[in-house]
């Protein structure tokens, strides 16, 4: 059993079965969204069992197994075998042609997509202080807003290549590595006395993993529409399909994995409804992110236009 698995089991005995204490409006969430809200609230105590079990014994073998396949590992630990059995077996619903079409659709508007991910998606995510705490604890929040944006951009460029989610593609491998980074962060924070499990639930819990998909999909698409980008219904369905598969690879459980616009709408509403609001760290992150985007976009603007007010105006318009 991986270290993170042990820590989750041990610390889970310390908390009640109710929602984390800092999450407001649990009763209203249940009244509005019923079974899905129950799944959302219960999901605050769930991480990613398959990846969490690998942290420790199997972590050092992960890179080789990704590159060469699990069969290249002599006597691999059982949790690693189980994880690769999962990621090497595409779900029955997967249509790779749809993923490739979606990648081409998104790349067609790369500039707009990159802009809204910073000015809309990440700002929307920063409205929930509990969701942002893992980044704050690991020192990768306001201090590294620009670096985080660049890292996300590199990953996204691989995911949105045609064939980018094939088994041995860079997009596939980097997505699985993101999953393992989440598992390592979860393990590290659960081992820290500073992590208030009763108040915040598990670090990088299932609901917040699901909301990350909304950041890349529904929130970004809505902001792009405000910029004048238009997709056909068929193109939007393909884009939703691509992000459904990314969510599967990154460990979002089937019950919270969004498929349609209505799923994303529920996820966005529950994220906002059960949020205690932003804190100082979230505000510092948004300010640092705005400075980074202003510096980037400033190079393309005529001198009479000031980039910082432009970015701030976009943030306000989008969120």
């Amino acid at each position: 059993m991986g270290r993170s698995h042990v820590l989750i089991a041990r610390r889970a005995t310390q908390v009640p079965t109710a929602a984390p204490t800092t999450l407001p409006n649990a009763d209203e969430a249940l009244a509005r969204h019923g079974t899905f809200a129950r799944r959302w609230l219960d999901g605050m105590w769930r991480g990613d069992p398959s990846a969490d079990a690998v942290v420790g014994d199997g972590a050092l073998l992960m890179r080789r197994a990704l590159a060469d396949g699990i069969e290249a590992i002599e006597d691999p630990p059982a949790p690693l075998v189980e994880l690769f059995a999962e990621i090497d077996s595409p779900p029955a619903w997967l249509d790779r042609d749809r993923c490739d079409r979606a990648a081409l659709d998104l790349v067609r508007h790369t500039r707009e997509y990159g802009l809204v991910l910073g000015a809309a998606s990440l700002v929307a995510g920063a409205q929930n202080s509990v969701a942002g705490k893992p980044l704050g604890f690991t020192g990768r929040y306001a201090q590294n807003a620009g670096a985080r944006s660049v890292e996300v951009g590199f990953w996204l460029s691989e995911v949105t290549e045609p064939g980018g989610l094939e088994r041995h593609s860079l997009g596939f491998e980097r997505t699985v590595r993101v999953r393992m980074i989440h598992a390592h962060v979860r393990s590290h924070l659960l081992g820290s006395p500073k992590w208030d499990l009763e108040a915040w639930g598990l670090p990088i819990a299932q609901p917040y993993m699901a909301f990350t998909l909304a950041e890349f999909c529904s929130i970004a698409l809505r902001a792009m529409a405000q910029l004048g980008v238009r997709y056909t219904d068929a193109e939007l369905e393909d884009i939703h399909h691509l992000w459904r598969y990314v969510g599967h690879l990154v460990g979002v459980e089937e019950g919270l994995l969004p498929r349609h616009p209505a799923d994303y709408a529920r996820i966005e509403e529950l994220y906002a409804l059960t949020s205690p609001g932003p804190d100082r760290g979230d505000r510092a992150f948004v300010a640092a992110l705005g400075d980074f985007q202003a510096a980037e976009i400033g190079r393309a603007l005529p001198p009479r236009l000031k980039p910082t007010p432009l970015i701030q105006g976009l943030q306000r318009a989008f969120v």
Side-chain angles (χ1 to χ4, degrees):
M1 182 179 288
R3 176 175 180 269
S4 185
H5 243 33
V6 172
L7 287 169
I8 290 172
R10 183 183 304 154
R11 296 202 66 183
T13 63
Q14 306 168 10
V15 300
T17 56
T21 56
T22 55
L23 267 59
N25 304 316
D27 290 342
E28 186 175 352
L30 289 167
R32 291 191 194 181
H33 295 285
T35 301
F36 190 82
R38 180 76 275 159
R39 195 177 300 141
W40 177 276
L41 295 171
D42 291 346
M44 291 300 299
W45 308 115
R46 292 196 300 274
D48 178 359
S50 298
D52 291 338
V54 171
V55 174
D57 293 342
L60 295 177
L61 302 172
M62 187 76 194
R63 186 179 293 270
R64 187 179 173 198
L66 265 177
D68 302 327
I70 189 66
E71 62 276 4
I73 308 296
E74 184 177 352
D75 193 24
L80 191 66
V81 173
E82 292 172 10
L83 176 62
F84 274 84
E86 178 183 322
I87 65 175
D88 283 338
S89 302
W93 48 259
L94 176 63
D95 184 333
R96 294 194 182 278
D97 289 340
R98 296 184 70 184
C99 290
D100 287 348
R101 291 198 302 266
L104 291 172
D105 292 336
L106 291 172
V107 168
R108 195 167 70 233
H109 302 286
T110 298
R111 179 179 57 186
E112 292 83 359
Y113 199 23
L115 177 62
V116 302
L117 286 176
S121 301
L122 293 178
V123 176
Q127 295 180 99
N128 186 324
S129 60
V130 174
K133 285 190 183 299
L135 280 170
F137 271 85
T138 54
R140 295 186 58 78
Y141 208 21
Q143 303 93 323
N144 287 282
R148 184 174 176 228
S149 297
V150 171
E151 289 171 356
V152 169
F154 277 128
W155 168 75
L156 189 62
S157 69
E158 300 296 347
V159 167
T160 54
E161 282 282 326
L165 292 175
E166 296 285 351
R167 169 59 181 88
H168 290 286
S169 69
L170 284 176
F172 182 100
E173 292 183 7
R174 289 179 178 173
T175 300
V176 176
R177 287 180 194 170
V178 167
R179 181 174 184 173
M180 291 310 303
I181 289 170
H182 290 170
H184 282 280
V185 170
R186 198 177 293 114
S187 175
H188 171 73
L189 292 179
L190 285 171
S192 169
K194 295 181 180 179
W195 185 264
D196 191 337
L197 187 66
E198 183 175 352
W200 306 327
L202 284 184
I204 316 181
Q206 279 288 331
Y208 299 154
M209 293 164 64
F211 180 80
T212 299
L213 298 176
E215 291 182 283
F216 285 102
C217 190
S218 57
I219 294 170
L221 292 173
R222 193 162 56 245
M224 289 171 76
Q226 288 179 260
L227 294 177
V229 174
R230 296 291 180 265
Y231 293 107
T232 67
D233 289 345
E235 288 170 339
L236 289 171
E237 289 175 3
D238 289 342
I239 292 169
H240 290 143
H241 189 80
L242 180 147
W243 287 112
R244 183 184 179 191
Y245 185 46
V246 171
H248 169 81
L249 288 178
V250 88
V252 179
E253 63 190 27
E254 192 65 31
L256 289 172
L257 187 60
R259 299 173 56 187
H260 306 298
D263 299 327
Y264 282 103
R266 290 190 297 185
I267 286 169
E268 287 190 52
E269 182 173 349
L270 283 166
Y271 185 82
L273 184 63
T274 60
S275 167
D279 61 15
R280 243 184 323 188
D282 298 307
R283 295 186 182 94
F285 170 71
V286 171
L289 182 64
D291 290 344
F292 172 76
Q293 282 203 290
E296 290 291 302
I297 202 173
R299 302 187 184 100
L301 293 177
R304 62 186 176 81
L305 292 179
K306 304 301 181 186
T308 297
L310 175 60
I311 291 297
Q312 291 174 343
L314 287 172
Q315 289 174 342
R316 184 171 292 274
F318 291 148
V319 185

